[in-house]
Amino acid sequence: MNAPFDKNRNNAATSPKFLSVWEIEAYYGESYIVQNVSFDIHEGEILALLGRNGAGKTSTLRAIARLDNPELKHGEIWLDHQPLHQMKSHQAAAAGIALVPEDRRIIAGLTVEENLQLAQIAPPIGWSLDRIYDLFPRLRERRKQEGVTLSGGEQQMLAIARALARDIKVLLLDEPYEGLAPVIVQEIAKTLNIIRDQGITTVIVEQNAVAALKLADRAVILDTGTVVFDGSAQQVLDDEKLRAEYLAI
Ligand SMILES: Nc1ncnc2c1ncn2[C@@H]1O[C@H](COP(=O)(O)OP(=O)(O)O)[C@@H](O)[C@H]1O
Ligand SMILES: [Mg+2]
């Protein structure tokens, strides 16, 4: 099955896009928030989705994960030839989309290991606990500890680990570095590189744009709900004017 937008794009036949967001428009009630946003990601790429506070980054991630709010009223989202735009959130999750929200949602009263086991309570099951602990040795050390008592960085690792515990294709990260010390940011970035090498495609939304750009292959910048830049991460790092205008860095 070919996505209908393929005919409008160069190289679509020779270079299939893994995740395609095409002209999506999403609303909170009457508020038009995601305004005709399009971008593509190749399999195994890391894409930084950037922009000022309120630009529509979280709303775009939520639309891709097919959460009810904002409501997707127009456009298409294809994951590996599957029409996410026709799905509910649980179906998008089963298709391989994992959203790690800004607040991480570690479940209180459960240990690290129980948080991971809960993610594996039903198929499709992803990485084994051993494989997860090899990637996150700190989580192995703390596996009997209550998840919510971990440090911020460890909770972020647990939130990412919990996504990997399911069989996923795309990891959507909403401000994973928020509130974390630079050394922890580096540690998580290293882990995200390893996750990429294992074939998982990642979209990272970050206020810490420089850290996200150093990790990412490509960048999309949003401003008031529309795409104002789509190109390589290095291009943004090199373009002071672009950064000043849309990222305030
Ligand atoms: N639940 C909501 N109801 C109404 N408006 C919202 C809601 N969440 C976000 N918005 C508005 O949508 C716009 C984009 O928000 P958001 O996607 O959270 O931006 P970002 O993640 O880039 O900071 C903002 O103007 C914000 O006020
Ligand atoms: Mg946000």
Side-chain angles (χ1 to χ4, degrees):
M1 192 180 353
N2 275 323
F5 48 84
D6 279 359
K7 60 179 175 292
N8 300 323
R9 299 274 167 97
N10 294 329
N11 303 322
T14 50
S15 172
K17 307 301 193 292
F18 190 64
L19 179 71
S20 278
V21 174
W22 180 70
E23 294 188 356
I24 63 168
E25 301 185 345
Y27 292 71
Y28 293 105
E30 298 291 300
S31 303
Y32 181 35
I33 298 295
V34 179
Q35 305 181 353
N36 198 18
V37 164
S38 303
F39 57 87
D40 301 309
I41 315 175
H42 288 92
E43 189 167 13
E45 251 182 351
I46 300 181
L47 178 101
L49 181 62
L50 305 174
R52 288 203 194 87
N53 231 339
K57 304 179 298 294
T58 295
S59 303
T60 300
L61 292 188
R62 291 178 61 87
I64 295 170
R66 305 302 298 112
L67 297 171
D68 288 335
N69 247 327
E71 187 189 351
L72 184 66
K73 289 200 185 172
H74 180 269
E76 299 182 6
I77 307 167
W78 293 83
L79 170 62
D80 199 13
H81 305 293
Q82 302 173 87
L84 292 183
H85 52 282
Q86 292 171 359
M87 297 183 190
K88 300 270 183 206
S89 61
H90 69 277
Q91 295 167 317
I97 294 281
L99 172 62
V100 178
E102 206 174 340
D103 62 10
R104 297 161 191 161
R105 311 259 167 89
I106 305 306
I107 297 169
L110 298 187
T111 64
V112 166
E113 189 142 300
E114 287 164 347
N115 265 277
L116 294 172
Q117 285 167 334
L118 191 63
Q120 298 193 321
I121 211 158
I125 290 166
W127 292 20
S128 68
L129 291 191
D130 253 349
R131 188 172 169 199
I132 287 171
Y133 289 147
D134 286 347
L135 183 64
F136 296 105
R138 280 161 176 266
L139 296 183
R140 178 179 272 126
E141 283 166 28
R142 304 203 190 300
R143 65 187 187 279
K144 301 291 178 210
Q145 193 174 323
E146 192 183 347
V148 293
T149 67
L150 299 177
S151 70
E154 290 161 352
Q155 287 195 37
Q156 187 59 51
M157 292 173 198
L158 178 54
I160 295 168
R162 194 173 47 185
L164 297 172
R166 316 248 333 134
D167 185 19
I168 64 164
K169 295 188 168 112
V170 176
L171 189 57
L172 307 175
L173 301 172
D174 200 353
E175 306 212 13
Y177 300 156
E178 193 183 10
L180 306 183
V183 53
I184 307 294
V185 167
Q186 271 178 25
E187 191 177 334
I188 292 178
K190 220 183 271 173
T191 311
L192 293 174
N193 263 318
I194 297 171
I195 292 170
R196 180 232 317 258
D197 292 344
Q198 314 262 328
I200 289 175
T201 305
T202 299
V203 179
I204 179 170
V205 162
E206 250 310 319
Q207 285 302 321
N208 185 346
V210 172
L213 288 164
K214 282 184 181 159
L215 174 73
D217 306 294
R218 286 186 38 244
V220 165
I221 301 179
L222 294 181
D223 192 48
T224 53
T226 62
V227 174
V228 292
F229 174 88
D230 183 337
S232 77
Q234 191 59 46
Q235 255 175 290
V236 183
L237 284 169
D238 292 342
D239 190 337
E240 226 168 274
K241 199 166 154 243
L242 185 73
R243 292 205 314 271
E245 189 165 2
Y246 297 115
L247 305 176
I249 51 169

